[in-house]
Amino acid sequence: MTSKLEQLRSMTTVVADTGDIEAVRRLKPVDCTTNPSIVLKALGTDAFKDAFQEAITWGKAKGGQDEAVIGAIADRMAISVGAALAELVPGRVSTEVDADLSFDTKASVEKAHQIIAGYKERGIEKDRILIKLASTWEGIRAAEVLQKEGIDCNLTLLFSKAQAIACAEAKVFLISPFVGRILDWYKKSTGEDYTSETDPGVVSVRAIYDYYKANGINTIVMGASFRNAGEIEALAGCDRLTISPQLLDELNAAEGMLTRALSPEKAKAEPLVSLDEKAFRWAMNEDAMATEKLAEGIRGFAKDLGTLRGQISKALAA
């Protein structure tokens, strides 16, 4: 019998949630996703030592310690990681807009344009890239603008159906509903343990998937942020799943039958909903988990981005 990973590949597009070049080469995912934490970790490895130094040299030639230059150097480093991954996967690479722009639509659009231009300088066209934005109201509006320009987006830090509905109305290419972070919140809040079937993160992604498929919404659902292989198995059949190398290896070593859990044919019929800004913000206000995890996620990514900028500043001064 084939491994559970190979069985999963037959019903779901497998994406690697990593900047680890060797892991991507070994596991052969279709796409790769990155975020500031992944980029920061990747740039600390020998594989990107030269890329880090190249970006610093480039930055010094641009004027050194200016805040805008430091930001441009950080972008250049993120694109270096993304470009290396793009050489290894046949599909898309997601690159994230700065977390500290999560509440600024105009600046997010401008940053996305800069990222796309940076990839184009390296011969990588926009159809290989997904611009990753936090699923704030402002981030969703930025994605709406970019999608109309033909720039596909990946809306991340998505914890609620309200966020998913707003993304669908904006005609976003792909959403990344988080699973493990939802589970973390509920375990801490209730003190309970959950099975793969009762896991609140799994339940959330299944509800979003059913809503999309029942209403003919083309936005791709890509489950993300997994804590264990059981969560992944419970979402087998989802459009895409972005998985860490550790869990990909675990699935690759696992034998036994993997049953498809999600399919368009089994989607439960639901009425189509429309959310304006007021309704969206109220729905988020009523969902303590989604509000808290969204804010926490933005803070975490912003912190890692700040760490990277600090390293750049130190290297420029050296």
Side-chain angles (χ1 to χ4, degrees):
M1 181 176 289
T2 58
S3 72
K4 286 189 176 181
L5 178 58
E6 288 309 308
Q7 293 176 68
L8 181 65
R9 291 185 199 274
S10 71
M11 59 187 86
T12 291
T13 299
V14 173
V15 180
D17 193 15
T18 185
D20 185 333
I21 293 296
E22 291 308 314
V24 171
R25 187 175 284 120
R26 173 169 51 81
L27 293 163
K28 297 179 172 58
V30 174
D31 296 343
C32 277
T33 57
T34 67
N35 59 43
S37 305
I38 288 173
V39 169
L40 181 63
K41 183 177 180 181
L43 288 169
T45 65
D46 289 341
F48 291 103
K49 187 176 181 180
D50 290 343
F52 185 94
Q53 190 54 53
E54 183 277 333
I56 295 299
T57 301
W58 177 87
K60 286 182 177 179
K62 293 291 183 180
Q65 290 283 358
D66 180 81
E67 186 176 325
V69 173
I70 291 173
I73 295 170
D75 290 346
R76 193 173 184 86
M77 291 178 178
I79 291 167
S80 291
V81 174
L85 294 171
E87 291 181 3
L88 299 176
V89 298
R92 309 267 196 141
V93 174
S94 291
T95 297
E96 195 148 345
V97 166
D98 297 354
D100 54 11
L101 301 180
S102 296
F103 302 101
D104 190 329
T105 297
K106 183 174 182 291
S108 292
V109 171
E110 291 173 353
K111 177 62 71 172
H113 289 160
Q114 292 167 13
I115 292 170
I116 293 298
Y119 274 109
K120 189 172 180 61
E121 287 178 2
R122 302 184 189 214
I124 301 171
E125 298 298 327
K126 65 183 180 181
D127 61 357
R128 297 289 317 283
I129 305 303
L130 292 180
I131 293 295
K132 208 170 180 183
L133 297 147
S135 298
T136 58
W137 179 258
E138 295 80 5
I140 295 168
R141 298 281 68 79
E144 186 174 36
V145 172
L146 293 166
Q147 290 289 163
K148 289 177 180 177
E149 296 175 351
I151 297 172
D152 288 334
C153 298
N154 170 356
L155 271 290
T156 188
L157 294 176
L158 194 146
F159 300 97
S160 74
K161 197 171 180 180
Q163 290 171 292
I165 289 170
C167 287
E169 291 193 283
K171 293 182 169 49
V172 166
F173 178 79
L174 178 150
I175 62 169
S176 295
F178 280 28
V179 179
R181 296 194 194 192
I182 293 178
L183 175 64
D184 294 344
W185 190 92
Y186 277 97
K187 287 179 73 173
K188 182 178 179 180
S189 177
T190 67
E192 296 180 15
D193 288 322
Y194 297 88
T195 67
S196 296
E197 287 299 311
T198 62
D199 184 312
V202 170
V203 171
S204 176
V205 175
R206 285 181 174 179
I208 291 168
Y209 178 92
D210 282 353
Y211 176 82
Y212 275 17
K213 301 311 176 188
N215 288 293
I217 294 167
N218 293 325
T219 299
I220 294 166
V221 180
M222 182 172 74
S225 171
F226 295 106
R227 295 294 178 259
N228 54 71
E231 290 178 323
I232 297 167
E233 293 183 37
L235 292 173
C238 192
D239 298 331
R240 302 186 191 189
L241 297 174
T242 180
I243 307 168
S244 68
Q246 178 185 352
L247 289 175
L248 286 171
D249 281 331
E250 185 176 331
L251 289 166
N252 197 37
E255 297 181 348
M257 182 65 69
L258 179 63
T259 302
R260 182 165 190 152
L262 299 179
S263 69
E265 297 75 23
K266 295 179 181 178
K268 300 173 184 176
E270 290 188 58
L272 195 63
V273 178
S274 181
L275 294 177
D276 60 12
E277 182 177 356
K278 178 181 176 181
F280 174 86
R281 293 196 186 280
W282 182 253
M284 291 296 289
N285 180 71
E286 291 294 279
D287 191 334
M289 177 277 297
T291 296
E292 291 173 20
K293 298 308 289 186
L294 173 60
E296 179 184 80
I298 291 171
R299 287 195 301 270
F301 288 157
K303 180 180 179 181
D304 285 338
L305 182 59
T307 298
L308 177 58
R309 288 171 177 168
Q311 291 179 359
I312 290 168
S313 182
K314 185 177 179 180
L316 287 171

Short mmCIF file of all heavy atoms in Angstrom, two decimals, residues 133 135-153 155 162-175 211-212 217-219 273-275 280:
data_model
loop_
_atom_site.label_atom_id
_atom_site.label_comp_id
_atom_site.label_asym_id
_atom_site.label_seq_id
_atom_site.Cartn_x
_atom_site.Cartn_y
_atom_site.Cartn_z
N LEU A 133 -1.34 38.14 2.29
CA LEU A 133 -1.84 39.26 3.08
C LEU A 133 -2.62 38.75 4.28
O LEU A 133 -3.30 37.72 4.18
CB LEU A 133 -2.76 40.14 2.24
CG LEU A 133 -2.16 40.84 1.02
CD1 LEU A 133 -3.19 40.94 -0.09
CD2 LEU A 133 -1.65 42.22 1.40
N SER A 135 -5.71 38.51 6.79
CA SER A 135 -7.15 38.61 6.49
C SER A 135 -7.85 39.63 7.38
O SER A 135 -8.86 39.36 8.02
CB SER A 135 -7.80 37.23 6.65
OG SER A 135 -7.26 36.31 5.75
N THR A 136 -7.29 40.85 7.42
CA THR A 136 -7.97 41.99 8.01
C THR A 136 -8.91 42.58 6.96
O THR A 136 -8.80 42.23 5.77
CB THR A 136 -6.96 43.07 8.42
OG1 THR A 136 -6.21 43.46 7.25
CG2 THR A 136 -5.99 42.56 9.47
N TRP A 137 -9.79 43.47 7.35
CA TRP A 137 -10.64 44.12 6.35
C TRP A 137 -9.78 44.85 5.32
O TRP A 137 -10.03 44.76 4.11
CB TRP A 137 -11.60 45.10 7.04
CG TRP A 137 -12.50 45.81 6.07
CD1 TRP A 137 -12.36 47.09 5.60
CD2 TRP A 137 -13.65 45.27 5.41
NE1 TRP A 137 -13.36 47.38 4.70
CE2 TRP A 137 -14.18 46.28 4.57
CE3 TRP A 137 -14.30 44.04 5.47
CZ2 TRP A 137 -15.31 46.09 3.79
CZ3 TRP A 137 -15.45 43.85 4.69
CH2 TRP A 137 -15.94 44.86 3.86
N GLU A 138 -8.73 45.53 5.80
CA GLU A 138 -7.85 46.27 4.91
C GLU A 138 -7.05 45.35 4.01
O GLU A 138 -6.83 45.65 2.82
CB GLU A 138 -6.92 47.16 5.73
CG GLU A 138 -7.61 48.26 6.51
CD GLU A 138 -8.26 47.79 7.82
OE1 GLU A 138 -8.08 46.61 8.19
OE2 GLU A 138 -8.93 48.62 8.47
N GLY A 139 -6.60 44.21 4.55
CA GLY A 139 -5.86 43.25 3.74
C GLY A 139 -6.72 42.65 2.65
O GLY A 139 -6.26 42.44 1.51
N ILE A 140 -7.97 42.38 2.97
CA ILE A 140 -8.90 41.83 1.98
C ILE A 140 -9.19 42.85 0.88
O ILE A 140 -9.27 42.50 -0.30
CB ILE A 140 -10.20 41.36 2.67
CG1 ILE A 140 -9.90 40.20 3.62
CG2 ILE A 140 -11.24 40.93 1.64
CD1 ILE A 140 -11.03 39.84 4.56
N ARG A 141 -9.31 44.11 1.27
CA ARG A 141 -9.53 45.17 0.27
C ARG A 141 -8.30 45.31 -0.65
O ARG A 141 -8.44 45.54 -1.86
CB ARG A 141 -9.83 46.51 0.95
CG ARG A 141 -11.08 46.51 1.81
CD ARG A 141 -12.38 46.65 1.01
NE ARG A 141 -12.71 45.53 0.19
CZ ARG A 141 -13.27 44.39 0.65
NH1 ARG A 141 -13.51 44.22 1.93
NH2 ARG A 141 -13.58 43.42 -0.18
N ALA A 142 -7.11 45.18 -0.08
CA ALA A 142 -5.90 45.23 -0.89
C ALA A 142 -5.89 44.07 -1.89
O ALA A 142 -5.55 44.24 -3.07
CB ALA A 142 -4.66 45.18 -0.01
N ALA A 143 -6.28 42.90 -1.42
CA ALA A 143 -6.34 41.73 -2.30
C ALA A 143 -7.34 41.94 -3.43
O ALA A 143 -7.11 41.53 -4.58
CB ALA A 143 -6.71 40.49 -1.50
N GLU A 144 -8.45 42.59 -3.12
CA GLU A 144 -9.47 42.86 -4.14
C GLU A 144 -8.88 43.71 -5.27
O GLU A 144 -9.12 43.45 -6.45
CB GLU A 144 -10.66 43.57 -3.50
CG GLU A 144 -11.84 43.79 -4.42
CD GLU A 144 -13.03 44.37 -3.68
OE1 GLU A 144 -12.83 45.18 -2.75
OE2 GLU A 144 -14.17 44.01 -4.04
N VAL A 145 -8.10 44.73 -4.89
CA VAL A 145 -7.46 45.59 -5.89
C VAL A 145 -6.45 44.78 -6.71
O VAL A 145 -6.43 44.85 -7.96
CB VAL A 145 -6.74 46.76 -5.19
CG1 VAL A 145 -5.89 47.55 -6.20
CG2 VAL A 145 -7.75 47.69 -4.51
N LEU A 146 -5.62 44.00 -6.03
CA LEU A 146 -4.58 43.24 -6.71
C LEU A 146 -5.16 42.18 -7.64
O LEU A 146 -4.66 41.96 -8.75
CB LEU A 146 -3.66 42.59 -5.67
CG LEU A 146 -2.82 43.58 -4.85
CD1 LEU A 146 -2.21 42.89 -3.64
CD2 LEU A 146 -1.73 44.22 -5.72
N GLN A 147 -6.22 41.53 -7.21
CA GLN A 147 -6.85 40.50 -8.06
C GLN A 147 -7.37 41.11 -9.36
O GLN A 147 -7.26 40.50 -10.43
CB GLN A 147 -8.00 39.82 -7.30
CG GLN A 147 -7.56 38.92 -6.17
CD GLN A 147 -6.88 37.63 -6.62
OE1 GLN A 147 -6.21 36.96 -5.84
NE2 GLN A 147 -7.02 37.26 -7.87
N LYS A 148 -7.92 42.32 -9.27
CA LYS A 148 -8.40 42.99 -10.49
C LYS A 148 -7.26 43.34 -11.43
O LYS A 148 -7.46 43.48 -12.64
CB LYS A 148 -9.18 44.26 -10.11
CG LYS A 148 -10.53 43.97 -9.46
CD LYS A 148 -11.21 45.26 -9.02
CE LYS A 148 -12.56 44.95 -8.37
NZ LYS A 148 -13.22 46.20 -7.87
N GLU A 149 -6.05 43.45 -10.87
CA GLU A 149 -4.85 43.73 -11.68
C GLU A 149 -4.20 42.45 -12.21
O GLU A 149 -3.18 42.52 -12.89
CB GLU A 149 -3.83 44.50 -10.84
CG GLU A 149 -4.30 45.88 -10.40
CD GLU A 149 -3.31 46.58 -9.48
OE1 GLU A 149 -2.32 45.93 -9.05
OE2 GLU A 149 -3.51 47.77 -9.21
N GLY A 150 -4.77 41.31 -11.86
CA GLY A 150 -4.20 40.04 -12.31
C GLY A 150 -3.11 39.51 -11.41
O GLY A 150 -2.35 38.62 -11.81
N ILE A 151 -3.01 40.03 -10.18
CA ILE A 151 -2.03 39.54 -9.21
C ILE A 151 -2.77 38.68 -8.19
O ILE A 151 -3.59 39.18 -7.42
CB ILE A 151 -1.32 40.72 -8.50
CG1 ILE A 151 -0.53 41.54 -9.53
CG2 ILE A 151 -0.40 40.20 -7.40
CD1 ILE A 151 0.06 42.83 -8.96
N ASP A 152 -2.50 37.40 -8.20
CA ASP A 152 -3.21 36.47 -7.32
C ASP A 152 -2.71 36.57 -5.88
O ASP A 152 -1.51 36.77 -5.64
CB ASP A 152 -3.06 35.04 -7.82
CG ASP A 152 -3.88 34.79 -9.08
OD1 ASP A 152 -4.89 35.50 -9.29
OD2 ASP A 152 -3.51 33.88 -9.86
N CYS A 153 -3.65 36.39 -4.95
CA CYS A 153 -3.34 36.59 -3.53
C CYS A 153 -3.69 35.37 -2.68
O CYS A 153 -4.60 34.61 -3.00
CB CYS A 153 -4.11 37.80 -2.99
SG CYS A 153 -3.68 39.35 -3.81
N LEU A 155 -4.71 34.85 1.20
CA LEU A 155 -5.12 35.54 2.43
C LEU A 155 -4.88 34.62 3.61
O LEU A 155 -5.50 33.55 3.74
CB LEU A 155 -6.57 35.98 2.34
CG LEU A 155 -6.80 37.37 1.74
CD1 LEU A 155 -6.33 38.47 2.67
CD2 LEU A 155 -6.08 37.53 0.40
N ALA A 162 -16.47 34.44 8.68
CA ALA A 162 -16.68 35.82 8.23
C ALA A 162 -15.52 36.28 7.35
O ALA A 162 -15.72 36.91 6.31
CB ALA A 162 -16.83 36.75 9.44
N GLN A 163 -14.29 35.97 7.77
CA GLN A 163 -13.12 36.31 6.96
C GLN A 163 -13.18 35.60 5.61
O GLN A 163 -12.88 36.18 4.56
CB GLN A 163 -11.83 35.93 7.69
CG GLN A 163 -11.51 36.77 8.91
CD GLN A 163 -10.35 36.21 9.69
OE1 GLN A 163 -10.46 35.13 10.28
NE2 GLN A 163 -9.22 36.91 9.70
N ALA A 164 -13.58 34.33 5.63
CA ALA A 164 -13.66 33.55 4.39
C ALA A 164 -14.72 34.11 3.45
O ALA A 164 -14.51 34.17 2.23
CB ALA A 164 -13.96 32.09 4.72
N ILE A 165 -15.85 34.53 3.99
CA ILE A 165 -16.92 35.11 3.17
C ILE A 165 -16.45 36.41 2.54
O ILE A 165 -16.68 36.65 1.34
CB ILE A 165 -18.18 35.33 4.03
CG1 ILE A 165 -18.82 33.98 4.38
CG2 ILE A 165 -19.20 36.21 3.29
CD1 ILE A 165 -19.93 34.06 5.42
N ALA A 166 -15.79 37.26 3.32
CA ALA A 166 -15.29 38.53 2.78
C ALA A 166 -14.25 38.29 1.69
O ALA A 166 -14.21 39.00 0.68
CB ALA A 166 -14.70 39.37 3.92
N CYS A 167 -13.41 37.29 1.87
CA CYS A 167 -12.40 36.95 0.84
C CYS A 167 -13.06 36.48 -0.44
O CYS A 167 -12.63 36.82 -1.55
CB CYS A 167 -11.45 35.87 1.37
SG CYS A 167 -10.29 36.45 2.62
N ALA A 168 -14.11 35.68 -0.30
CA ALA A 168 -14.84 35.20 -1.48
C ALA A 168 -15.46 36.36 -2.24
O ALA A 168 -15.41 36.40 -3.48
CB ALA A 168 -15.90 34.20 -1.06
N GLU A 169 -16.05 37.31 -1.52
CA GLU A 169 -16.66 38.47 -2.17
C GLU A 169 -15.62 39.33 -2.88
O GLU A 169 -15.92 39.97 -3.89
CB GLU A 169 -17.43 39.30 -1.15
CG GLU A 169 -18.69 38.61 -0.62
CD GLU A 169 -19.58 39.57 0.14
OE1 GLU A 169 -19.24 39.87 1.31
OE2 GLU A 169 -20.59 40.01 -0.42
N ALA A 170 -14.39 39.32 -2.37
CA ALA A 170 -13.29 40.06 -3.00
C ALA A 170 -12.66 39.29 -4.15
O ALA A 170 -11.73 39.78 -4.80
CB ALA A 170 -12.23 40.40 -1.96
N LYS A 171 -13.17 38.07 -4.38
CA LYS A 171 -12.66 37.20 -5.45
C LYS A 171 -11.17 36.90 -5.27
O LYS A 171 -10.38 36.89 -6.23
CB LYS A 171 -12.95 37.78 -6.83
CG LYS A 171 -14.44 37.82 -7.15
CD LYS A 171 -14.71 38.37 -8.54
CE LYS A 171 -16.17 38.14 -8.96
NZ LYS A 171 -17.17 38.54 -7.96
N VAL A 172 -10.80 36.63 -4.03
CA VAL A 172 -9.43 36.24 -3.70
C VAL A 172 -9.11 34.88 -4.31
O VAL A 172 -9.96 33.99 -4.36
CB VAL A 172 -9.27 36.20 -2.16
CG1 VAL A 172 -8.00 35.49 -1.76
CG2 VAL A 172 -9.31 37.61 -1.59
N PHE A 173 -7.89 34.71 -4.79
CA PHE A 173 -7.48 33.45 -5.43
C PHE A 173 -7.47 32.29 -4.45
O PHE A 173 -7.95 31.20 -4.75
CB PHE A 173 -6.09 33.63 -6.05
CG PHE A 173 -5.56 32.38 -6.72
CD1 PHE A 173 -5.99 32.01 -7.98
CD2 PHE A 173 -4.61 31.59 -6.07
CE1 PHE A 173 -5.50 30.85 -8.59
CE2 PHE A 173 -4.11 30.44 -6.67
CZ PHE A 173 -4.57 30.07 -7.93
N LEU A 174 -6.91 32.53 -3.23
CA LEU A 174 -6.70 31.44 -2.27
C LEU A 174 -6.76 31.97 -0.85
O LEU A 174 -6.30 33.08 -0.57
CB LEU A 174 -5.35 30.78 -2.55
CG LEU A 174 -4.86 29.63 -1.68
CD1 LEU A 174 -3.98 28.69 -2.52
CD2 LEU A 174 -4.05 30.13 -0.48
N ILE A 175 -7.33 31.18 0.05
CA ILE A 175 -7.30 31.50 1.48
C ILE A 175 -6.57 30.40 2.24
O ILE A 175 -6.57 29.24 1.82
CB ILE A 175 -8.72 31.69 2.06
CG1 ILE A 175 -9.54 30.40 1.94
CG2 ILE A 175 -9.42 32.88 1.42
CD1 ILE A 175 -10.84 30.42 2.72
N TYR A 211 -19.15 25.73 2.51
CA TYR A 211 -19.80 26.98 2.10
C TYR A 211 -19.34 27.37 0.69
O TYR A 211 -20.15 27.75 -0.17
CB TYR A 211 -19.47 28.09 3.09
CG TYR A 211 -20.02 29.44 2.70
CD1 TYR A 211 -21.35 29.78 2.96
CD2 TYR A 211 -19.22 30.38 2.05
CE1 TYR A 211 -21.86 31.01 2.58
CE2 TYR A 211 -19.72 31.62 1.67
CZ TYR A 211 -21.04 31.93 1.95
OH TYR A 211 -21.54 33.16 1.56
N TYR A 212 -18.05 27.28 0.44
CA TYR A 212 -17.52 27.62 -0.88
C TYR A 212 -18.05 26.69 -1.96
O TYR A 212 -18.53 27.13 -3.02
CB TYR A 212 -15.98 27.56 -0.85
CG TYR A 212 -15.29 28.80 -0.35
CD1 TYR A 212 -15.96 29.77 0.38
CD2 TYR A 212 -13.94 29.00 -0.60
CE1 TYR A 212 -15.31 30.91 0.83
CE2 TYR A 212 -13.27 30.12 -0.16
CZ TYR A 212 -13.95 31.09 0.57
OH TYR A 212 -13.30 32.20 1.00
N ILE A 217 -18.21 28.92 -5.26
CA ILE A 217 -17.15 29.92 -5.09
C ILE A 217 -15.81 29.31 -5.51
O ILE A 217 -15.45 28.22 -5.08
CB ILE A 217 -17.09 30.38 -3.62
CG1 ILE A 217 -18.38 31.15 -3.27
CG2 ILE A 217 -15.86 31.25 -3.36
CD1 ILE A 217 -18.57 31.39 -1.80
N ASN A 218 -15.10 30.01 -6.37
CA ASN A 218 -13.87 29.46 -6.96
C ASN A 218 -12.63 29.64 -6.08
O ASN A 218 -11.59 29.05 -6.37
CB ASN A 218 -13.61 30.10 -8.32
CG ASN A 218 -14.65 29.70 -9.35
OD1 ASN A 218 -15.14 28.57 -9.34
ND2 ASN A 218 -15.01 30.62 -10.24
N THR A 219 -12.69 30.47 -5.07
CA THR A 219 -11.54 30.68 -4.19
C THR A 219 -11.05 29.35 -3.63
O THR A 219 -11.84 28.56 -3.11
CB THR A 219 -11.91 31.63 -3.03
OG1 THR A 219 -12.29 32.90 -3.58
CG2 THR A 219 -10.73 31.82 -2.09
N VAL A 273 -24.01 34.45 1.68
CA VAL A 273 -24.05 35.60 2.59
C VAL A 273 -23.19 36.72 2.04
O VAL A 273 -22.17 36.48 1.40
CB VAL A 273 -23.54 35.18 3.99
CG1 VAL A 273 -23.51 36.37 4.94
CG2 VAL A 273 -24.40 34.06 4.56
N SER A 274 -23.60 37.97 2.29
CA SER A 274 -22.81 39.13 1.90
C SER A 274 -22.48 39.94 3.15
O SER A 274 -23.33 40.13 4.02
CB SER A 274 -23.58 40.00 0.90
OG SER A 274 -22.79 41.11 0.50
N LEU A 275 -21.24 40.41 3.24
CA LEU A 275 -20.80 41.17 4.42
C LEU A 275 -20.21 42.51 3.99
O LEU A 275 -19.24 42.55 3.23
CB LEU A 275 -19.74 40.39 5.20
CG LEU A 275 -20.14 39.08 5.88
CD1 LEU A 275 -18.91 38.45 6.53
CD2 LEU A 275 -21.22 39.31 6.92
N PHE A 280 -18.83 42.76 8.80
CA PHE A 280 -17.58 42.01 8.98
C PHE A 280 -16.97 42.32 10.35
O PHE A 280 -16.60 41.41 11.09
CB PHE A 280 -16.59 42.39 7.87
CG PHE A 280 -15.22 41.80 8.04
CD1 PHE A 280 -14.94 40.52 7.56
CD2 PHE A 280 -14.19 42.52 8.67
CE1 PHE A 280 -13.67 39.97 7.71
CE2 PHE A 280 -12.93 41.97 8.82
CZ PHE A 280 -12.67 40.70 8.34
#
